[in-house]
Amino acid sequence: GDDFTKLCGRSQALKERLVSHALCTDMDVELRETMVRNFGKKADLLERVKVIRNEARACQGMVMRDELKKMKRVLRHLGHVDANGVIQMKGRTACEINTAHELVVVELVFCGVFNDLSVEQSVALLSCMTFDERMKEEDGDPAKGL
């Protein structure tokens, strides 16, 4: 009984506060109803945004999984990892190379391309494999700077 009377008193106090609030006293009924409808629409739109963002993340995850599968397939095909995904000698070597074209450099090394080249020729070939930020900014044509 005592809890019920407390709740009734609290309910009455909240009703009095609600009636005396500026939204009830300073606005006409139509404006207030319009604001409530607009707020409901906004809440619905925010919920739709949340759903669409979640769908976009799920699609992006699928695309990334597909790309990862393709990358793994290339690494297996080149011999950098075995069928179980264990990194092989080529893969470890690629991890140690610090260029923009690790896989290409490893293939050149393991195919013996450098065996018959002079030091100057090796340096010239390797200079083509260095990463240059300026080349990236020049709309993709690497021959443009030559």
Side-chain angles (χ1 to χ4, degrees):
D2 193 33
D3 289 338
F4 181 73
T5 55
K6 280 184 184 178
L7 288 176
C8 285
R10 198 159 171 224
S11 173
Q12 187 61 34
L14 289 174
K15 284 180 186 176
E16 290 171 8
R17 283 180 62 189
L18 186 60
V19 171
S20 64
H21 193 274
L23 284 175
C24 288
T25 58
D26 296 344
M27 287 187 192
D28 64 348
V29 175
E30 286 183 34
L31 180 59
R32 187 172 53 243
E33 288 175 355
T34 303
M35 289 178 72
V36 169
R37 274 194 306 274
N38 287 341
F39 182 78
K41 288 178 185 177
K42 179 181 176 183
D44 291 342
L45 289 173
L46 289 173
E47 185 61 31
R48 281 186 59 203
V49 165
K50 188 186 294 186
V51 168
I52 291 171
R53 279 191 179 141
N54 287 339
E55 289 175 1
R57 283 190 193 110
C59 290
Q60 185 179 18
M62 284 192 301
V63 168
M64 291 176 76
R65 275 192 298 277
D66 290 343
E67 288 181 18
L68 181 60
K69 285 180 184 177
K70 291 175 185 175
M71 289 178 190
K72 285 181 176 180
R73 186 176 23 218
V74 167
L75 291 175
R76 270 194 308 273
H77 180 72
L78 292 175
H80 291 262
V81 296
D82 65 10
N84 296 323
V86 177
I87 299 175
Q88 302 299 306
M89 176 71 81
K90 277 179 138 179
R92 293 195 190 285
T93 305
C95 290
E96 297 297 325
I97 294 176
N98 188 17
T99 72
H101 308 285
E102 294 87 355
L103 300 180
V104 174
V105 172
V106 169
E107 289 303 312
L108 291 174
V109 169
F110 278 81
C111 288
V113 170
F114 292 99
N115 292 345
D116 298 328
L117 297 180
S118 67
V119 173
E120 294 82 10
Q121 290 171 326
S122 296
V123 170
L125 180 57
L126 289 173
S127 71
C128 297
M129 301 298 163
T130 60
F131 178 72
D132 190 357
E133 188 71 33
R134 292 174 296 166
M135 294 299 286
K136 186 178 182 182
E137 295 171 1
E138 292 179 1
D139 293 335
D141 186 9
K144 193 174 188 180
L146 299 176

